[in-house]
Amino acid sequence: MKTESSVQTQFLSAETVAHLVKTLGIADCLRGVADYLHADYLRWEAFDKSARVASHSDDGVIELMPISDGAHYTFKYVNGHPKNTALGLPTVMAFGVLARVDTGAPEVLSELTLTTAIRTAAMSVLAARTLARPDCRRMALIGNGAQSEFQAQAFHHLLGIEEIRLFDIDGAATAKLMRNLAHTKLRLRPCGSVHEAVRGADIVTTVTADKTSARIITADMLEPGMHINGVGGDCPGKTEMHPDVLHGASVFVEYEPQTRVEGDLQQMPAEFPATELWRVLAGKAVGRTDERQVTLFDSVGFALEDYSALRFMRDSARALGLGQPISLIPSMANPKDLFSLVRPSAVASDAGTKMSRVA
């Protein structure tokens, strides 16, 4: 006799994830996601990878980011609309699913707006930990919007950055960041220009939002031994680096086929050299070769990072007893009888009566 089976999906709302982060603490969340990222990048060859699917408009972009390791499949829905803040909406909004490959059953449905900010900052630190000089203490942070506090705290807690020089064309954004991080031990120094912020910095992180072919960092700003995290150039037609910056640096990427189209690398010819970061992490390629080398991580965001972040949030939520089970998939006594969910009660009753008479 068949029994009714059900698929319960763990739902992690925006409020639940925020509570989780507050409970664990931002430093431990960043550290945990960075650890999951490192472990998963070392399993690079186990993943079925593809570039994200993007729908572009004059106002922004909407993307789907899928990946699978054969046991689990994840995807993220995410947008990027720089004008949204004028409407009272976030520039980036995201959610995602973690599903079993053997059955296709969705295990987790989660917000990924806050989670994406955490995983992006953790990824920046993982790259810098791999490529930057070990004695880095000063960072320039260009772009002080929604992502900036996470980047600042990630570099402070996970890499030992003590001073951050801030610049944004919107002074209110910089003031917001300074208020939000006033409780930390970071030395926060607002600057009047990109040049001023970058001067003397060991690490430069750019997280700008405008969907334009910008050249925020120029070759004259490069200093020996500098490491650059280019985070904001993440779709076709959107850049942050002058091409001469790439010529003056050793360039590292997440997934080369995607970065060639979306990153600052899109400005360069197909033969321009770039190394996927996983190869350095796995010891299959060389990262920094000396203290004077300039390194650039051309970060566009890759689906593996969302896979890692979703697993971290799932595991942390379970450990803390957080999350709500939801019936995303219907329960049926007969999985072949989907119509039973909407069949009129009178029809079901009549069918039961007829069966009784036959018996």
Side-chain angles (χ1 to χ4, degrees):
M1 178 179 178
K2 292 183 179 179
T3 59
E4 184 171 306
S5 60
S6 64
V7 175
Q8 291 294 302
T9 302
Q10 182 186 22
F11 176 54
L12 302 179
S13 68
E15 294 78 11
T16 298
V17 172
H19 178 65
L20 184 155
V21 174
K22 288 181 179 179
T23 301
L24 294 180
I26 187 67
D28 283 346
C29 281
L30 288 162
R31 188 173 294 108
V33 173
D35 289 344
Y36 274 56
L37 284 167
H38 194 172
D40 288 334
Y41 264 96
L42 291 178
R43 299 195 303 121
W44 180 264
E45 293 169 310
F47 288 90
D48 179 15
K49 299 172 287 293
S50 63
R52 55 189 159 210
V53 180
S55 177
H56 296 276
S57 69
D58 292 338
D59 296 312
V61 61
I62 296 174
E63 300 168 334
L64 290 178
M65 300 172 64
I67 198 167
S68 173
D69 69 346
H72 286 92
Y73 169 93
T74 67
F75 76 84
K76 179 171 77 174
Y77 166 98
V78 62
N79 76 304
H81 287 68
K83 299 176 183 177
N84 269 8
T85 53
L87 304 174
L89 296 172
T91 297
V92 174
M93 297 178 281
F95 68 88
V97 168
L98 175 72
R100 294 171 57 107
V101 168
D102 59 353
T103 63
E107 286 189 351
V108 179
L109 171 63
S110 178
E111 83 78 44
L112 285 181
T113 307
L114 175 57
T115 302
T116 292
I118 291 171
R119 74 83 154 134
T120 302
M123 190 65 210
S124 294
V125 167
L126 177 59
R129 184 188 292 161
T130 307
L131 301 171
R133 301 189 328 270
D135 60 344
C136 293
R137 294 296 177 266
R138 293 174 293 183
M139 183 171 84
L141 186 53
I142 311 302
N144 302 157
Q147 172 70 210
S148 59
E149 290 91 348
F150 299 92
Q151 293 281 337
Q153 295 215 70
F155 277 91
H156 176 53
H157 293 297
L158 277 62
L159 208 66
I161 290 295
E162 300 170 351
E163 176 181 302
I164 300 185
R165 301 173 180 185
L166 309 169
F167 177 75
D168 195 300
I169 56 174
D170 178 9
T174 301
K176 174 267 305 178
L177 184 154
M178 295 184 70
R179 287 194 305 272
N180 283 340
L181 299 186
H183 67 285
T184 71
K185 295 180 180 180
L186 277 166
R187 296 195 303 272
L188 303 171
R189 301 185 182 277
C191 298
S193 68
V194 175
H195 277 82
E196 181 185 348
V198 169
R199 191 179 305 119
D202 302 312
I203 295 174
V204 175
T205 297
T206 55
V207 281
T208 61
D210 284 345
K211 191 180 177 183
T212 58
S213 296
R215 294 179 172 182
I216 297 165
I217 306 298
T218 53
D220 60 302
M221 299 180 193
L222 299 181
E223 297 180 9
M226 181 179 282
H227 172 70
I228 303 170
N229 285 314
V231 180
D234 57 2
C235 69
K238 183 182 179 187
T239 62
E240 296 179 311
M241 308 291 155
H242 190 284
D244 288 345
V245 172
L246 281 77
H247 282 297
S250 297
V251 179
F252 300 84
V253 301
E254 291 143 314
Y255 181 53
E256 186 176 348
Q258 181 173 300
T259 311
R260 290 276 177 192
V261 177
E262 297 181 353
D264 279 283
L265 200 58
Q266 67 187 272
Q267 307 173 86
M268 313 309 287
E271 65 274 12
F272 184 84
T275 303
E276 290 182 332
L277 186 67
W278 78 270
R279 295 180 58 81
V280 182
L281 293 169
K284 296 186 176 185
V286 177
R288 174 172 292 275
T289 56
D290 60 67
E291 291 186 355
R292 296 183 60 81
Q293 180 185 14
V294 176
T295 53
L296 167 63
F297 180 49
D298 189 1
S299 173
V300 299
F302 185 53
L304 182 148
E305 296 152 23
D306 303 309
Y307 168 92
S308 303
L310 271 167
R311 287 198 309 112
F312 173 81
M313 290 299 177
R314 176 200 64 187
D315 295 347
S316 298
R318 286 177 177 174
L320 294 171
L322 299 176
Q324 174 188 354
I326 59 172
S327 298
L328 193 62
I329 307 301
S331 298
M332 297 171 286
N334 179 0
K336 293 184 178 181
D337 190 8
L338 182 61
F339 188 74
S340 64
L341 298 173
V342 295
R343 185 173 56 216
S345 299
V347 174
S349 176
D350 184 56
T353 301
K354 289 180 178 179
M355 289 295 292
S356 298
R357 289 173 181 172
V358 170

